[in-house]
Amino acid sequence: MRPPRAQQLLVTALAVLVAAYILAPFAWIALSSIQPEKELFSVPPHWVPRILTGDNYRFIFTGKFPAGFAETGLLRGRISEKARDALPALRNSTIVALTVAMANLVLGVVAAYSFSRLKFRGAGALYTFVLASRLLPPMALAIPYYLIVARLGLLDRYGALILIHSAVTLPFTVWFLSVYFRRVPPDMEEAALVDGCTRLQVLVRIVAPVAAPALAAAAAFAFMFSYNDFPFALFVTSTIRSQTIPVIVSATAVNTDVSFGVVAVTVVLTMLPPVAFALLFRHYITRGLITVVTTR
Amino acid sequence: MIRRYFALASGLLALTLVVCAVAVAAAPTQLTFTVWSYSNDVVQDNIQKFQARNPGITVALSDFDWGKFTDVMTARFVGKTSTDVSYSSDHWLQQWAAANWIVPLDDYFPQVAAYKPDFAPYAIEGMTYNGKLYGLPYYADTEIFIYNEDLLKRAGFSTPPVTWDDVTKMAVAMKQKKIVEYPLMFQFQDITPDYIEIFLSMVYSHKNPSMFDKTLTPTYDSESSAAHKVARWLVDGFRTTKIINPASLETTEIPLVKAMGAGQVAFAVLPKYNLADLNTPGAHAQAGKFKMALMPGETHGTVGYVRFYAMTKMAADRGKEVRDASWKFLDYFGGKTGGEFTVVKRWALEKGLGFAQLPLYKDPQVRAAINKWGNVTLEEQQAKLARAKEALTPFWGSWSLEFQKEMNKALLGQETPLQALQASAAKWKEMKK
Amino acid sequence: MSWKARETRYAYATVLPVVVLVALFTVYPVGYAVSTSLREVVLYRPASTPFVGFKNYLDIVRGDFFATAWGHTLTFTLFAVALATILGFGVAHLLRVRSRIASFLNAAVLLPWAIPTVISGILWAWIFNSTYGAFNGALYSLGLISSYIPWLSRPTSALFCVLFAHIWKELPLTSILYVAALQAIPDELYDAARADGAGVLATLRRITIPLVLPTTLIVVIYESMVAIVTFDLLYVMTGGGPAGATSLISYYIYNRMFTSYNFGQGAALAVILALSLIVFILVYLRVLSSEDVYRE
């Protein structure tokens, strides 16, 4: 039975409203990235851009100044050169986030499986760790984390970020997946064990394929957390060798020579990897979440 | 036979020792240099040139977000991560020096005294703690009064304001003639470090500007103080004549410059390098119309600040070689090479940054470059009238945020200007204990 | 070796790496925070850091910012949690409708999740800007206002702008959690209710809301934790202003540590915050567990 017309219209209207709320900032930033700087400050804004330009993108990719920025009589012109670090930073962010996701998949899955299937003390401690690792605000954690990483000699290296991000995301991954695993009936695993498989073989050959949605969801959460982290990345990175994209965008945005058009380009570039990741994995995320939120 | 072998052996040994000695002597000294991210490519180029002149020294550059610079450096110093030379600033010198993170150059390099006559007095004061000099200037600048000449002319005025009453008069005229709704805007966000400097600039343009006495007790919370005059003028402009944009409470330096560049602001108090930015054709719609004027007020005084190169305690402790290398570095970047302040001059020509090294005002290249976007005569004049911020202490940063918050309460009408000044003075006394 | 012993060895081998890593990054910071909070540690007075017991805690609690900061934090958290939960619940219903716009929305709703918080702060500060912002521009172009409004310069509207940006960031997660929860409710229950003549509201009250209660618990706990420690967004958008109107406890932790250089007080405040979070969570669990939640 199709719902009444009025109800359909109401639902559509609400959906459009929500879509506008979600997408408006992205539309604004995307449009700002292809307009010359001066256009961005008109009152009211030019909703349909009057002048389009690739200058901002060209500056990030090649270093050529947008039109008019070099004409002050100054030998160098004024524009935030830090923005040119955006591409290497994007590479850093993506590599670190993917590694953290992998670490969660390997270490987290194996640990979660052991938690759910094998009898040993520590389940209570697990729950405590999951919550405890989120109780202290990042500001209070920054210095101790910095000290740990410094002592390990990992400052300004991918290792620092991978270590910190994994330490923060693993508790959630292990909890999330162990809840999921407990939901899976153990019959097939029992049979395989009787046949002589080790626990690890059972995990890899039987359980993991079935639990793929949950694994993908856990990997996605870990990726997002690592990619979006700012407070920890800020402290433990010091050169473009390891500086991540949030660090670069923030540093660009506070420079006095900042061009908002160029900042807009860095924001657009920032979004590309995680948006691609999120869109690819969204079905898995929902399916993974379903089982977990309905399990006790 | 044996004698010949012996001679050969000793010859080889001697040769080996010489080669080793040369190798050891040639092992480069590594310096770590921390900066905030501004024109890193220029900094790197300067480093290359320095290394070319000093083959025994290599410099590794680390750069951080300007807004978070002190936070990250705090972690670095607390964690004792190797840092040898660093950017620093007058408004946190007290904290870094008292924490023993950076060292007085006077103690290690007496030759630095030779530079003092060349530096502007406000810069020397800004780099001095407990009577000792802690750095060589990277750049120094003054807060200046910038106006949009076009808007001024349209309101019927041909010369910029000379007193704060002039400013009010002209702003009211602009508002009434509907030329611009809020002719004035300030960077008065609660926690922006520029706020207090702007306020102090306005205070220093009055007679009897001192806010503290010799024992560092606040004197500005009295009815007759210059600070009170400024506070009353601001509240008046905010709430009565409405010539000051109420959005000032959310504004920091960059949004203010963007708004001014778009023609929404006629008068502003900003660090001078913003004049070069505002007159950049590609960046602002109104580029070319901005001029500087001496700070309005009886004395035309203003605040001068300095950012400088400092040497860390860690470097000082690493031994003579590192100290010597650090001095060569400081001397190259903040001092003279071949009789000229090369690096400072480069910043002035390439980026329009101000400088504390006064001889550069005689350089015709520098004068011509400045005149393209500013007014070098006025700039020199303003620099002579600039004062360093008074009463800098390790808790000055903390106090300034309280001052700003209380001033904003007055601007919102939650308390009177005098109450705001008294509240922050009370906080100062508490922190001083 | 017996099969049991081999299994136990496998269990510990798979779990220990994760536990050790997480413990390092949980136990050390907590220990650091607690031990620092019990000493007077002021960085520009490095000569002495004496043990002072609870002095830092008392100084904090007696400080005049403490009460107001808690007031602001609780206000912000209350609104943030309520809005994130209710809107997430509502949007989840929209996402489950079968229509083209709903499937578009399903993809779009993930986007705010894919962006670092500090960048969303920069973005929203730009949008709400009172001179050239898109929000003012939109209202002006639609004829709703005659001149731009300084949203972030007035205490009340500043708080709402920050909430607007905060909810925008949190909506992806809460709505997807609720989609998962709603999907788990069997259709037969709704059919039966409709057959009994129950209206929309009654269905919501009797069936939907009670059955998603476990998810609501998760959402409320998680959103509270996020709201109470929120820092980056506020710092960038308002700097805690105007006149301290949006200064939360998390800002004061930063202020104590990095502006006043008083690590002792900063650590004490962080510990107080962590303890408060534990209390909140326990309260939530008590209140929401008193319902007959775990029916399966």
Side-chain angles (χ1 to χ4, degrees), chain C residues 135-154:
Chain C
F135 189 72
N136 273 315
L139 294 178
Y140 183 84
S141 295
L142 289 170
L144 295 169
I145 56 175
S146 58
S147 68
Y148 280 25
I149 298 178
W151 299 100
L152 294 168
S153 294
R154 295 183 187 150

Side-chain angles (χ1 to χ4, degrees), chain A residues 36-38 41-43 65-82 85 139 142-143 146-147 150-151 155-156 230 234-240 243 246-260, chain B residues 36-42 45 61-68 71-72 74-81 253-255 257-259 262 264 273-274 276-277 279-286 346-353 365 369 372-373:
Chain A
E37 183 74 358
K38 288 187 284 190
F41 302 100
S42 346
V43 173
F65 278 26
F69 270 85
E71 294 165 24
T72 28
L74 294 173
L75 295 179
R76 190 166 272 273
R78 296 185 66 108
I79 195 164
S80 38
E81 286 98 341
K82 187 66 178 167
D85 280 346
M139 261 311 139
I143 299 276
Y146 180 88
L147 293 175
R151 293 285 171 274
L155 281 179
D156 199 36
F230 177 67
L234 177 70
F235 278 90
V236 303
T237 62
S238 51
T239 69
I240 192 56
Q243 278 169 345
V247 174
I248 297 298
V249 175
S250 173
T252 308
V254 304
N255 258 338
T256 52
D257 294 350
V258 62
S259 152
F260 277 22
Chain B
W36 49 79
S37 314
Y38 181 76
S39 289
N40 287 358
D41 46 344
V42 176
D45 195 53
L61 181 71
S62 286
D63 66 291
F64 307 109
D65 188 330
W66 160 245
K68 307 264 188 264
D71 303 343
V72 181
T74 299
R76 227 180 141 86
F77 284 126
V78 166
K80 296 206 185 10
T81 308
E253 184 184 14
I254 292 170
V257 170
K258 298 294 186 194
Q264 304 284 328
Y273 56 75
N274 285 302
D277 184 18
N279 284 327
T280 303
H284 302 285
Q286 301 262 314
R346 182 179 182 178
W347 284 117
L349 290 179
E350 291 197 11
K351 284 295 196 171
L353 294 186
Q365 242 186 324
K372 288 217 180 76
W373 50 263

Side-chain angles (χ1 to χ4, degrees), chain C residues 16-37:
Chain C
L16 234 45
V18 172
V19 169
V20 165
L21 177 64
V22 173
L24 177 65
F25 281 90
T26 313
V27 172
Y28 178 72
V30 170
Y32 181 90
V34 171
S35 84
T36 310
S37 70

Side-chain angles (χ1 to χ4, degrees), chain B residues 25-174:
Chain B
T29 314
Q30 161 103 310
L31 291 179
T32 309
F33 179 33
T34 49
V35 304
W36 49 79
S37 314
Y38 181 76
S39 289
N40 287 358
D41 46 344
V42 176
V43 177
Q44 277 292 6
D45 195 53
N46 287 335
I47 288 177
Q48 307 291 27
K49 293 196 164 73
F50 169 75
Q51 286 175 167
R53 295 181 75 92
N54 294 279
I57 310 176
T58 54
V59 180
L61 181 71
S62 286
D63 66 291
F64 307 109
D65 188 330
W66 160 245
K68 307 264 188 264
F69 184 74
T70 45
D71 303 343
V72 181
M73 291 304 291
T74 299
R76 227 180 141 86
F77 284 126
V78 166
K80 296 206 185 10
T81 308
S82 182
T83 313
D84 299 304
V85 279
S86 175
Y87 278 177
S88 191
S89 176
D90 56 352
H91 66 287
W92 67 67
L93 165 63
Q94 303 270 329
Q95 286 175 320
W96 285 22
N100 216 8
W101 291 342
I102 55 178
V103 295
L105 299 184
D106 288 331
D107 286 353
Y108 297 89
F109 316 116
Q111 60 268 44
V112 77
Y115 279 126
K116 280 197 193 170
D118 287 336
F119 296 159
Y122 68 79
I124 298 185
E125 206 185 314
M127 297 186 292
T128 304
Y129 172 73
N130 275 353
K132 301 220 174 121
L133 191 71
Y134 274 74
L136 290 174
Y138 150 41
Y139 86 95
D141 221 335
T142 54
E143 306 287 347
I144 60 169
F145 187 83
I146 302 182
Y147 65 95
N148 185 323
E149 195 177 41
D150 189 54
L151 296 177
L152 193 70
K153 289 208 174 95
R154 276 164 55 191
F157 300 98
S158 51
T159 53
V162 173
T163 66
W164 290 106
D165 285 335
D166 281 350
V167 175
T168 310
K169 193 179 66 178
M170 294 186 188
V172 168
M174 284 184 197

Side-chain angles (χ1 to χ4, degrees), chain C residues 72-92:
Chain C
H72 293 142
T73 309
L74 290 174
T75 314
F76 177 79
T77 307
L78 188 70
F79 278 104
V81 173
L83 286 169
T85 313
I86 297 173
L87 284 178
F89 184 69
V91 170

Side-chain angles (χ1 to χ4, degrees), chain B residues 355-372:
Chain B
F355 43 83
Q357 285 83 339
L358 297 173
L360 282 172
Y361 277 119
K362 299 201 185 73
D363 187 314
Q365 242 186 324
V366 169
R367 293 187 80 84
I370 294 177
N371 275 334
K372 288 217 180 76

